[in-house]
């Protein structure tokens, strides 16, 4: 199936899934954090920390799987700084998040000094036999690395957790009205810190996907703004997991498509086309948010507010 | 058992003492980090905090540079703080800064090589208008379609960056620059330049504008009805509605002011210290200003001090790099630590810490 | 005012005394400012390797310092001034955007010597140096033309600036000579360094049937993709063999070390003079790493011969007859391009498809 002459739609779909995976991982983590009523703008810092932690662990141990584990731990530990500052010491979340990004970029570069120009161990691709050979769909659905599947599973898991489980209910209660949740006996601070650490671990995984699979190498500043896009995707998705998947794939899709159009020699003004992913994201956002009531926007009511238990 | 008791009003003592405490804590933690990197921690701390201000070799040059570096940060941060107080989140000052610079530069380049006193004022207006217009996009989308302003203003930063690259390589490229990217040097075009006003002080129009913004911000918040509405909307949105505050107008006002100030900062930078439009002319002032706004507790005078402190760590950090061989990554991590500590000890000004069991349950 | 003037002149006097003393026994102090982090594994990384080579070569006779990730413009001017104030004898400013700041600071510190990379403004105490990367591009263009089976070559460009356009033209001219059916697809990333985007660009090109990839961006992502997809590519700025052991046919390495050592030596000897140089393969500033065994013996020999004839000055990669893209004549038979046109090159040669974004 071809569009614009020579671009194969199936191939485009397969490559946009790969392109979107780091953003998706970070976004789904941040979604949980925001559902708990916390706005962590430090996603970029946690991603880059995950990227170097994962890289270092994978290189030292020779195992990409351990690397991803290390990335999740690294991201979670960094996010714990944010958790303690905002939840225990009641610091402003926006400022702390930005500080976390600044710190993460510097810190990761310090750890990474010894890893420049090193090639990490390769992650085997998980081609599912028979199915991978299907024309079209086989390439899209069954010929990826395990992390791509993990990211989709994570979306499904978060969706089910928020919708059906008791944990999801508590999480939403804390995010909607922390005073009421506290009155009901939930440990607001503890729940929020756990959510923040989950977000940090996911962002770390997203960063490691870049440094271990997508690129794969370590260079300073290699996330190049992906964390900010992940934040945008969460709002874009109006805090719904499947929409976050859609948003990440849409963003990845437009980014990949503009490069494909260039490669196919379609005559387009390149310098303006590279703005298109951002402009189209804004446009879709406007369409989705217009003509709806505030409730439909689904923003957690306590988002970004500090919680201090009285009495 | 440690308990936190909210103070009825922020403690005056701790409001003044916490920044000092934070700087001391950062010196200790940062010193440990520098020691771990095998550098002399005392020398490192002295180079960052003391040398730019008092070293006989550098101080006469570095002190005015503090103003040059802090000027745009303060100017942008004052604008942002208004919105932040009202719960309106403009994260995209970086984009407004770029567009302000582009619009102002476009006016200046259009007049080139004419002379005239009116050119620079026109550029200043274009810069402010450009930043204002760029901020109006999230403002109008917010009031008209209820679109989230954090996201839109942030995404527009990326659009502005691409536009900047396109302009530096295309329409604004210096026709006498031998095909190299980048515009004419505006600081070398007298009618359009923003020179140092008093030699050796670092004062240029952007720094003057920053000081004016601090004073105006102070008056607005303390003495003006609009300032009261802004504070009320942030603290008690429902009460604000009953008090007759029009939220849509507040959004337009706050985003507009912060956009215009960011645009001005960009214009003053491109006509003065930076000199020309280049592919990566922006160097993160718009994002750093968000941190400055919070470090200054969203208070104009606090922002002034916070801007100067941030500038000091930048300038001292550069000295530490070439004097002591400390990598820039360590400086970045050090700045991050400083912010963490400032944010953490802020607790002391708003809460009382009580040890032991509560007196009254 | 008076006090500061006094202080300033005292500081100047001190500085002069210090630099005079330095000439005798103190080490020569050499500063570098980089536009990116030294960990970018590209442009700034290579300049830093040059700095390390200077340290290695001179030992205690030289002290080197650097500041990394310095934005172009006001920040660069401040860093340069502070370096000059702290008694540096020679400062290398390693990015095009440092041109005006370098000139400004140099005016104020006539005793400090400056070397600006890739610019065109010189002064009594400002020299400029640049590398003829297009010479290397001509050689890899030849190899690419011989190696492609689909006759499609992909080129990932950063920004449409003269240096990148020179590279595309040089590569195309020589690929075309080796293989008249060859076609180039150029993708502009609009970034010097964005690994994810460069990887996407490489994939997009491969989907279009490209089987050889060239890049003028700094990350190793395209090389890794090439390795993964079983096609071939050329390393940029550094030897990227580590990332594409099978894919990398050869790499064009920016080797600044010989020039840096030569210029520091000139300062030590007191023979330093301002100049404007554009070095290439001959001087070792542009280095071509050993060509992979994947390239057939005869092609390897041709490429080496081409490289040798460029180095010997017998052959210039831009020798007529050459037409511009629109068919108008650029260089007549036997005519050689002048440096000024090359430095400001903003057009494609005949045969290239697409437009340069303006």
């Amino acid at each position: 199936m071809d569009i614009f002459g020579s671009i194969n739609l199936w191939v485009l779909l397969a490559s946009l899934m790969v392109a979107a995976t780091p953003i998706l991982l970070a976004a789904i983590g941040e979604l949980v954090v925001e559902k708990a009523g916390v706005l962590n703008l430090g996603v970029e810092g946690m991603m880059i920390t995950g990227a170097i932690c994962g890289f270092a662990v994978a290189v030292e141990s020779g195992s990409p799987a351990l690397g991803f584990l290390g990335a999740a731990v690294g991201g979670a530990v960094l996010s714990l700084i944010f958790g303690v500052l905002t939840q225990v010491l009641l610091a402003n979340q926006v400022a702390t998040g930005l500080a976390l990004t600044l710190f993460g970029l510097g810190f990761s570069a310090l750890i990474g000094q010894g890893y420049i120009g090193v090639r990490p161990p390769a992650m085997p691709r998980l081609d599912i036999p028979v199915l991978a050979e299907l024309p079209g769909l086989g390439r899209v659905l069954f010929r990826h690395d395990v992390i791509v599947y993990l990211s989709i599973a994570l979306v499904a898991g978060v969706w089910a957790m928020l919708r059906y489980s008791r944990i999801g209910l508590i999480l939403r209660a804390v995010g909607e009205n922390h005073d009421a949740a506290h009155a009901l006996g939930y440990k607001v601070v503890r729940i929020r810190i756990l959510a923040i650490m989950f977000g940090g671990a996911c962002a770390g995984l997203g960063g490691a996907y870049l440094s271990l699979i997508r690129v794969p190498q370590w260079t300073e500043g290699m996330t190049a703004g992906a964390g900010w896009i992940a934040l945008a995707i969460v709002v874009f998705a109006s805090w719904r997991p499947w929409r976050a998947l859609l948003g990440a794939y849409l963003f990845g899709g437009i980014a990949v498509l503009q490069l494909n159009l260039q490669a196919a020699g379609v005559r387009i003004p390149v310098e303006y086309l590279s703005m298109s992913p951002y402009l189209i994201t804004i446009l879709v956002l406007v369409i989705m948010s217009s003509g709806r009531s505030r409730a439909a926007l689904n923003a957690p009511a306590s988002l970004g507010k500090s919680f201090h238990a009285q009495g | 058992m440690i308990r936190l008791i909210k103070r009825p009003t922020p403690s005056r003592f701790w409001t003044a003492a916490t920044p000092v405490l934070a700087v001391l804590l950062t010196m200790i933690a940062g010193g440990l980090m520098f020691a771990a990197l095998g550098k002399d921690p005392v020398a490192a701390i002295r180079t960052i905090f003391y040398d730019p201000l008092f070293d006989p070799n550098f101080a006469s040059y570095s002190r005015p540079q503090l103003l040059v570096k802090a000027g745009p940060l303060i100017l942008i941060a004052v604008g942002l703080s208004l919105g932040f107080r009202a719960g309106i989140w403009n994260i995209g000052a970086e984009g407004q800064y770029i567009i302000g610079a582009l619009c102002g530069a476009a006016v200046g380049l259009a007049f080139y090589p004419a002379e005239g006193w009116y050119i620079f004022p026109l550029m200043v207006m274009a810069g402010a208008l450009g930043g204002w217009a760029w901020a109006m996009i999230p403002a109008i989308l917010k009031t008209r379609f209820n679109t989230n302003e954090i996201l839109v203003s942030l995404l527009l930063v990326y659009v502005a960056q691409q536009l900047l690259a396109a302009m530096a390589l295309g329409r604004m490229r210096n026709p006498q620059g031998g095909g190299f990217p980048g515009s004419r040097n505006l600081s070398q075009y007298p009618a359009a330049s923003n020179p140092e006003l008093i030699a050796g002080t670092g004062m240029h129009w952007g720094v003057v504008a920053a000081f004016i913004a601090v004073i105006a911000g102070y008056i607005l918040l303390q003495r003006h009805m609009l300032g009261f509405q802004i504070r009320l909307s942030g603290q008690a949105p429902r009460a604000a509605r009953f008090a007759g505050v029009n939220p849509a107008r507040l959004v337009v006002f706050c985003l507009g002011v912060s956009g215009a100030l960011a645009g001005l900062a960009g214009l003053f930078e491109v006509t003065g210290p930076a000199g020309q439009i280049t592919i990566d002319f922006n160097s993160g002032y718009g994002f750093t200003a968000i941190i400055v706004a919070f470090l200054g507790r969203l208070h104009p005078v606090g922002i002034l001090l916070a801007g100067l402190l941030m500038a000091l760590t930048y300038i001292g950090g550069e000295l530490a790099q070439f004097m002591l061989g400390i990598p820039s990554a360590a400086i970045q991590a050090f700045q991050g630590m400083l912010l963490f500590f400032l944010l953490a000890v802020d607790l002391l000004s708003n809460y009382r810490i009580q040890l032991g069991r509560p007196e009254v349950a | 005012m008076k006090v500061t003037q006094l202080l300033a002149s005292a500081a100047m006097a001190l500085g002069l005394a210090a630099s005079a003393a330095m000439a005798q026994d103190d080490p020569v102090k050499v500063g570098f400012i980089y536009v990116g982090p030294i960990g970018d594994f590209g442009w700034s990384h290579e300049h830093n390797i040059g700095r390390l080579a200077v340290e290695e070569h001179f030992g205690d006779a030289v002290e080197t310092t650097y500041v990394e990730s310095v934005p172009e413009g006001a920040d660069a001017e401040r860093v340069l001034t502070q370096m000059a104030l702290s008694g540096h004898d020679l400062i290398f400013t390693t990015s095009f955007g440092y041109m005006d700041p370098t000139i400004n600071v140099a005016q104020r510190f006539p005793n400090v010597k400056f070397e600006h990379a890739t610019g065109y403004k010189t002064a009594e105490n400002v020299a400029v140096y640049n590398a003829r990367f297009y010479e290397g591009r001509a050689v890899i263009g030849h190899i690419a033309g011989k190696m492609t089976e689909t006759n499609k070559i992909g080129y990932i460009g950063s920004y449409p600036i003269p240096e990148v356009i020179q590279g595309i033209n040089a590569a195309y001219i020589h690929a075309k000579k080796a293989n008249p059916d060859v076609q180039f697809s150029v993708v502009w990333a609009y970034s010097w360094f964005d690994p994810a985007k460069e990887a996407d660009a490489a994939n997009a090109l491969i989907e279009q049937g490209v089987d050889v990839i060239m890049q003028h961006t700094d990350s190793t992502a395209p090389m890794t993709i090439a390795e993964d997809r079983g096609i071939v590519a050329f390393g940029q700025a550094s030897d990227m063999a580590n990332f594409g052991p099978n894919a990398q046919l050869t790499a064009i390495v920016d080797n600044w070390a010989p020039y840096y050592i030569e210029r520091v030596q000139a300062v030590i000897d007191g023979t330093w003079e301002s100049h404007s140089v554009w070095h290439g393969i001959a001087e070792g500033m542009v280095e071509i790493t050993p060509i992979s065994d994947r390239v057939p013996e005869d092609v390897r020999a041709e490429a080496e011969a081409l490289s040798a004839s460029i180095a010997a000055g017998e052959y210039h990669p831009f020798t007529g007859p050459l037409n511009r893209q629109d068919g108008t004549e650029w260089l007549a038979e036997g005519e050689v391009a002048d440096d000024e046109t090359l430095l400001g090159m903003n057009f494609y040669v005949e045969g290239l498809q697409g437009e340069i974004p303006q």
Side-chain angles (χ1 to χ4, degrees), chain B residues 244-331:
Chain B
V245 177
N246 179 341
R249 271 179 48 196
L250 207 60
V251 167
V252 169
F253 174 80
C254 288
L255 278 167
V257 169
S258 54
L261 290 184
L264 276 178
L267 177 275
F268 289 128
E269 198 67 13
V270 78
T271 50
Q276 61 179 153
I277 294 284
T278 52
I279 293 175
D280 33 20
F281 145 78
N282 60 314
S283 41
Y285 279 122
F287 289 117
T288 313
I290 300 175
I291 298 172
V292 169
F294 278 104
L295 283 187
R297 315 264 154 77
L298 305 182
H299 187 287
V301 179
I303 287 171
L304 178 71
L305 297 173
L308 290 170
L309 180 66
M310 272 313 268
L312 181 65
T313 62
Y314 275 107
I315 294 175
E318 287 156 3
L319 289 181
Q321 279 193 61
F322 70 79
M323 305 269 287
L324 305 169
I326 293 173
S328 77
I331 303 297

Side-chain angles (χ1 to χ4, degrees), chain B residues 69 178 185 318 321-322 328, chain C residues 65 68 75 78 96 100 344:
Chain B
K69 185 83 191 171
N185 196 315
E318 287 156 3
Q321 279 193 61
F322 70 79
S328 77
Chain C
T65 63
E68 54 184 329
D75 295 292
R78 184 179 60 244
F96 173 73
D100 287 354

Side-chain angles (χ1 to χ4, degrees), chain C residues 12-188:
Chain C
M12 281 260 269
L14 272 174
L16 286 177
S19 58
M22 228 162 257
Q24 281 140 30
D25 41 36
D26 279 354
V28 171
K29 209 166 170 188
V30 185
F32 292 78
I33 75 167
Y34 307 130
V35 70
I38 57 171
D40 68 358
F41 205 63
W43 183 255
S44 296
H45 184 72
E46 292 305 315
H47 283 285
N48 195 48
I49 287 177
R51 178 184 73 86
L52 294 173
V54 168
E55 283 214 321
E56 172 113 339
H57 184 266
F58 291 100
D60 289 339
V62 167
E63 182 193 344
T64 72
T65 63
Y66 71 92
V67 184
E68 54 184 329
S69 302
V70 180
E72 297 165 349
D75 295 292
E77 194 162 330
R78 184 179 60 244
V79 172
L80 287 174
T81 308
Q82 288 173 334
M83 277 187 156
L85 282 172
S86 74
H88 283 76
D89 301 280
L90 174 66
I91 301 174
F92 290 93
T93 62
T94 64
S95 176
F96 173 73
Y98 295 152
M99 182 161 66
D100 287 354
T102 305
I103 296 289
N104 292 345
V105 177
Q107 275 170 358
R108 274 181 278 141
F109 295 92
N111 293 321
V112 181
K113 294 163 181 69
F114 293 85
E115 296 260 354
H116 176 232
T118 73
Y120 54 83
K121 291 185 185 168
T122 56
E124 188 83 336
N125 58 335
V126 181
V128 296
Y129 60 103
N130 200 348
R132 295 180 189 271
F133 295 116
Y134 67 84
E135 294 184 350
R137 302 262 161 198
V139 177
I140 65 170
H142 179 83
I143 301 173
K146 289 284 184 187
M147 293 297 286
T148 178
E149 282 163 16
T150 60
N151 294 331
K152 282 184 178 173
I153 294 170
Y155 205 111
I156 304 171
S158 49
Y159 291 102
I161 60 171
E163 185 193 311
V164 178
I165 295 167
Q166 283 162 26
I168 296 173
N169 282 331
Y172 177 74
I173 291 166
H174 295 85
K176 183 94 175 169
K177 272 186 194 159
N179 174 357
D181 296 324
V182 85
Q183 275 190 337
F184 268 43
S185 293
V186 182
V187 171
W188 297 102

Side-chain angles (χ1 to χ4, degrees), chain C residues 221-291:
Chain C
M223 180 61 71
T224 324
I225 296 290
E227 178 80 16
D228 200 38
R229 303 284 294 263
I231 65 159
V232 294
F234 297 93
Q236 145 83 2
S238 319
D239 188 347
M240 296 179 174
N242 209 0
F243 296 91
N246 298 307
Q248 177 173 296
L249 297 182
T250 179
I252 303 174
V253 175
D254 314 352
N255 183 5
W256 305 103
Y259 180 76
Y260 287 169
I261 290 170
E262 177 197 321
R263 298 302 279 172
V264 172
Q265 187 66 52
V267 169
I268 293 173
D269 298 344
T271 57
W272 190 94
E273 272 180 3
S274 170
H275 65 194
S276 171
V277 297
W278 203 6
H279 285 177
I281 295 176
E283 296 86 355
M285 197 178 271
V286 176
E287 203 177 82
I288 294 167
T289 61
I291 300 168

